[in-house]
Amino acid sequence: MGTDGPALPRYLELRRWLRRQIEEGAFQPGSTIPSLNELAAERGVNRLTVLKALEPLVGEGVLKPVVGRGFFVVGEAVARELETLDGFTRTMTERHARPSVKVLTKALRSAGPKHAATFGIAEDDDLVLIKRLCLAGGEPFSLEEILFPANLLPDLDALDLQVFSLYELFSFYGVTLSQAWQTVELTRLDQKDARTLGITADTAVLLFQCTSRDADDRVVEFTRTYTRSDRANFVIHFRR
């Protein structure tokens, strides 16, 4: 008589395979796993078997389902050290405003002399440039331009910035933002960006420029945020 135990049910076999793929990095945090149809065809099972395999992984927080877009891999959550470094999505949610983000640009660019000095990298090293429109309750709220070294988030093309916040993606890859230096001033946008933000070019906006460092004191992000002054108010607490 053989020593092997009974064969595992197909859904359990698939679940274990998926978990192993995620743990070994075949499916990176922030990216999607193959579709239900692709998994069914690849593993020789039906869609119901695939769904049965996925359900516990969703319940455990390993996968995040997004209607119409599939199942995304969720990385291990890392607590933020400073609550003031919360991103737009969490900030708006806490204020009971329905947040959403529309990515306008996601591209690589060379650091150049100015940003090389900011990040402490070589001038020809790659930075990721993200430009996105942030909406609250479906209305334009702010326009963000974000720069960070490309090596912080491998395989950026597979990461969906409309499903996960940038802070979540950083935490998936072990980057913990710990402190930031921010300035604020009044400025105006060019006609194209003003139209995107739903204002006229002669309307003043609040410009926040923020340089963020990680727990190792490296500069990991530089952000310019143009915020509509008619839709935002800010509170500053002073303590003696």
Side-chain angles (χ1 to χ4, degrees):
M1 179 180 294
T3 58
D4 292 341
L8 291 174
R10 300 302 301 276
Y11 74 88
L12 189 54
E13 180 183 319
L14 175 57
R15 186 185 307 156
R16 290 187 176 183
W17 178 81
L18 281 168
R19 194 188 299 278
R20 187 166 62 251
Q21 296 298 302
I22 292 169
E23 290 173 350
E24 294 177 356
F27 302 136
Q28 290 289 326
S31 64
T32 56
I33 64 171
S35 70
L36 297 183
N37 288 337
E38 289 170 335
L39 284 172
E42 180 181 341
R43 308 301 295 180
V45 296
N46 59 44
R47 283 170 54 96
L48 290 177
T49 299
V50 176
L51 282 171
K52 191 172 182 180
L54 296 180
E55 284 174 357
L57 297 179
V58 172
E60 295 169 19
V62 175
L63 295 175
K64 176 180 180 178
V66 178
V67 176
R69 307 188 70 175
F71 291 82
F72 288 77
V73 179
V74 178
E76 182 179 357
V78 177
R80 301 184 184 91
E81 295 186 13
L82 293 181
E83 289 299 317
T84 52
L85 290 182
D86 282 341
F88 170 79
T89 298
R90 178 167 172 175
T91 300
M92 290 298 103
T93 300
E94 289 178 349
R95 284 156 177 74
H96 307 291
R98 178 170 52 85
S100 59
V101 174
K102 181 179 181 182
V103 177
L104 306 175
T105 302
K106 183 171 67 172
L108 292 178
R109 53 158 291 178
S110 297
K114 177 181 177 181
H115 293 302
T118 297
F119 288 98
I121 59 179
E123 292 185 17
D124 58 354
D125 283 350
D126 283 335
L127 294 175
V128 175
L129 167 64
I130 296 170
K131 187 172 182 178
R132 62 184 188 176
L133 176 65
C134 300
L135 303 101
E139 294 295 324
F141 182 86
S142 62
L143 194 61
E144 291 185 342
E145 296 175 354
I146 305 167
L147 286 169
F148 58 88
N151 60 7
L152 292 183
L153 294 182
D155 198 15
L156 183 67
D157 287 341
L159 307 179
D160 197 314
L161 292 167
Q162 295 179 190
V163 172
F164 295 100
S165 74
L166 193 56
Y167 287 171
E168 287 176 316
L169 294 175
F170 278 152
S171 73
F172 294 166
Y173 289 91
V175 179
T176 303
L177 302 186
S178 63
Q179 58 181 316
W181 178 262
Q182 183 167 259
T183 62
V184 60
E185 61 186 273
L186 286 173
T187 190
R188 286 180 171 80
L189 294 168
D190 62 31
Q191 190 170 0
K192 180 180 177 182
D193 284 341
R195 189 184 311 115
T196 300
L197 201 50
I199 58 176
T200 60
D202 60 351
T203 301
V205 296
L206 294 164
L207 168 58
F208 294 87
Q209 298 190 85
C210 184
T211 303
S212 300
R213 294 178 178 270
D214 68 1
D216 296 322
D217 203 35
R218 299 177 304 169
V219 175
V220 294
E221 181 190 49
F222 176 72
T223 305
R224 293 188 188 93
T225 303
Y226 302 91
T227 302
R228 284 180 52 163
S229 56
D230 62 330
R231 301 208 64 209
N233 58 70
F234 299 89
V235 178
I236 300 175
H237 297 281
F238 293 95
R239 179 177 300 170
R240 181 176 295 229

